[in-house]
């Protein structure tokens, strides 16, 4: 019987990885974060420190708890430092070749009973798993952005996965204080399979029906009970991320609704990516 998860690795400390590493360290796990340069590792650690500091200001945690969480997070540029991790979550670039190369290398670093999880949004977890000689120990753990805030984790089971590592990954997500759900390795998993075509429908209605983004958002908030309007949501996700996810889902399943609406493709070309550029459907103060 494999042991408990105590030490966790996170590879890639960008938007998602830094947030995931924060969640792991906050939940009490010794966490090793791997980046490509020391500068990027230090930047990620700073970001985690900043967000934990905000939680202290909002009295969601004490200064001691923040210091203890930060002390549990180490960063490195050497994958060899992942030796001794019971679970490694990869959150590197969304590139099949890069992820397969990483997963194959981890075979030689991790103990035989360690688990490898990929945070991929749109790639096949099965294709990533096949790069490992221990494909039965590779799962998907799909966190949502921002990882410290959004509770959902889709725990993705491939046909190659064994019961024990899959259930341990599921239990680990719950131990993080998250709300895990079980799903299979199908395009878009659960949320993106539904949300991407739905948001695309919303954007198409703007031009088809001559509705303003303000009124569309108002309609869905006050008529359908959405907590945030669809245009504001696309701005939050990032127009380029949504376009990329739409293209991937469309390539996989072929429904016309899944293809990115022309309006979003145009916004991407104009650099109107949403909150991160200060302008998308709406404008934002930096
Ligand atoms: N951004 C989102 O909303 C979101 C949501 C869920 C899942 N995802 C998935 O999470 C993954 C990461 O996305 P992101 O938005 O955080 O990207 P990002 O570009 O912000 O971060 C990727 C990080 O990985 C690092 N990196 C790249 N190659 C590496 C390697 N070989 N070893 C170590 N570090 C490496 C980069 O330096 C960068 O800091 C992708 O698979 C993406 O599909 C993204």
């Amino acid at each position: 019987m494999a042991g408990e998860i105590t030490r966790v690795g996170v590879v890639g400390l960008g938007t998602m990885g830094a947030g995931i590493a924060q969640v792991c360290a906050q939940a009490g796990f010794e966490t090793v974060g791997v980046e490509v340069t020391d500068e990027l590792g230090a930047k990620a650690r700073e970001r985690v420190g900043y967000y934990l500091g905000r939680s202290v200001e909002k009295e969601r945690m004490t200064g001691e708890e923040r210091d203890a969480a930060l002390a549990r997070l180490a960063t490195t540029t050497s994958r060899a430092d992942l030796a001794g991790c019971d679970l490694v979550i990869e959150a590197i670039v969304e590139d099949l070749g890069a992820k397969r190369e990483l997963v194959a290398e981890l075979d030689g670093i991790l103990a035989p009973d360690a688990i490898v999880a990929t945070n991929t949004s749109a790639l096949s977890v099965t294709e990533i798993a096949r790069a490992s000689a221990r494909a039965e120990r590779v799962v998907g753990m799909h966190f949502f952005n921002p990882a410290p805030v959004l509770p959902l984790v889709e725990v993705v089971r491939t046909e190659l996965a064994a019961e024990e590592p899959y259930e341990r990954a599921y239990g680990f997500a719950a131990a993080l204080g998250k709300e895990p759900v079980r799903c299979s390795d199908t395009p878009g998993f659960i949320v993106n399979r539904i949300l991407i075509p739905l948001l695309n429908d919303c954007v198409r209605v703007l031009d088809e029906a001559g509705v303003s983004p303000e009124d569309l958002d108002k309609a869905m908030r006050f008529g359908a009970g959405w907590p945030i309007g669809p245009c504001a949501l696309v701005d939050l996700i990032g127009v380029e991320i949504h376009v990329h996810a739409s293209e991937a889902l469309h390539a996989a399943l072929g429904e016309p609704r899944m293809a990115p609406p022309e309006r979003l493709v145009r916004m991407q070309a104009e650099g109107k990516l949403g909150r991160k550029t200060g302008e998308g459907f709406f404008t934002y103060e930096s």
Side-chain angles (χ1 to χ4, degrees):
M1 181 67 195
E4 240 181 281
I5 293 172
T6 54
R7 194 176 165 83
V8 181
V10 180
V11 188
L13 299 173
T15 306
M16 292 307 295
I20 294 168
Q22 177 184 330
V23 171
C24 294
Q26 247 180 290
F29 297 95
E30 288 301 324
T31 307
V32 182
V34 182
E35 253 299 344
V36 285
T37 65
D38 286 326
E39 291 69 29
L40 285 170
K43 216 173 110 190
R45 215 164 174 284
E46 251 172 58
R47 261 183 53 211
V48 171
Y50 170 77
Y51 287 117
L52 291 176
R54 292 263 303 264
S55 294
V56 175
E57 281 164 23
K58 291 179 186 159
E59 299 183 354
R60 292 196 189 123
M61 63 163 57
T62 65
E64 290 75 36
E65 285 168 341
R66 173 201 54 203
D67 295 346
L70 260 187
R72 282 190 288 269
L73 173 61
T75 59
T76 177
T77 56
S78 169
R79 290 179 184 174
D81 291 338
L82 294 168
C85 288
D86 309 298
L87 167 74
V88 170
I89 303 170
E90 78 73 21
I92 67 170
V93 281
E94 185 77 332
D95 177 274
L96 183 62
K99 289 188 193 288
R100 283 176 55 91
E101 183 263 330
L102 169 61
V103 163
E105 193 182 335
L106 290 176
D107 280 350
I109 295 172
L110 302 179
D113 65 350
I115 302 166
V116 174
T118 173
N119 184 49
T120 183
S121 293
L123 299 171
S124 157
V125 178
T126 310
E127 284 311 303
I128 295 168
R130 279 193 210 284
S132 168
R134 309 171 196 154
E136 71 282 3
R137 308 199 67 80
V138 179
V139 301
M141 284 183 77
H142 187 226
F143 290 76
F144 287 74
N145 185 23
V149 178
L150 290 184
L152 182 65
V153 181
E154 293 173 330
V155 187
V156 184
R157 183 166 186 167
T158 73
E159 290 193 357
L160 311 170
E163 179 83 5
E164 177 267 325
Y166 179 78
E167 290 303 329
R168 270 171 84 207
Y170 184 92
F172 174 74
L176 290 178
K178 294 295 184 190
E179 296 288 348
V181 292
R182 293 180 172 82
C183 62
S184 302
D185 186 22
T186 51
F189 311 131
I190 300 174
V191 170
N192 285 346
R193 167 66 184 83
I194 295 165
L195 191 59
I196 287 171
L198 186 54
L199 286 176
N200 286 341
D201 280 345
C202 292
V203 173
R204 289 192 176 98
V205 164
L206 292 172
D207 295 319
E208 280 169 22
V211 174
S212 71
E214 286 80 3
D215 279 346
L216 184 81
D217 277 20
K218 209 168 154 182
M220 294 307 285
R221 284 174 58 221
F222 297 114
W226 284 31
I228 176 173
C231 295
L233 183 56
V234 172
D235 277 357
L236 187 67
I237 293 168
V239 170
E240 85 291 9
I241 287 180
H242 180 79
V243 166
H244 183 259
S246 297
E247 284 166 346
L249 199 63
H250 185 239
L253 296 175
E255 272 185 34
R257 299 171 62 224
M258 292 167 177
E262 220 172 278
R263 182 171 178 136
L264 287 183
V265 175
R266 213 168 44 236
M267 284 168 67
Q268 181 178 7
E270 290 166 353
K272 294 179 182 167
L273 304 183
R275 279 184 180 266
K276 70 181 74 166
T277 57
E279 189 179 355
F281 287 104
F282 304 111
T283 53
Y284 302 88
E285 302 280 322
S286 59

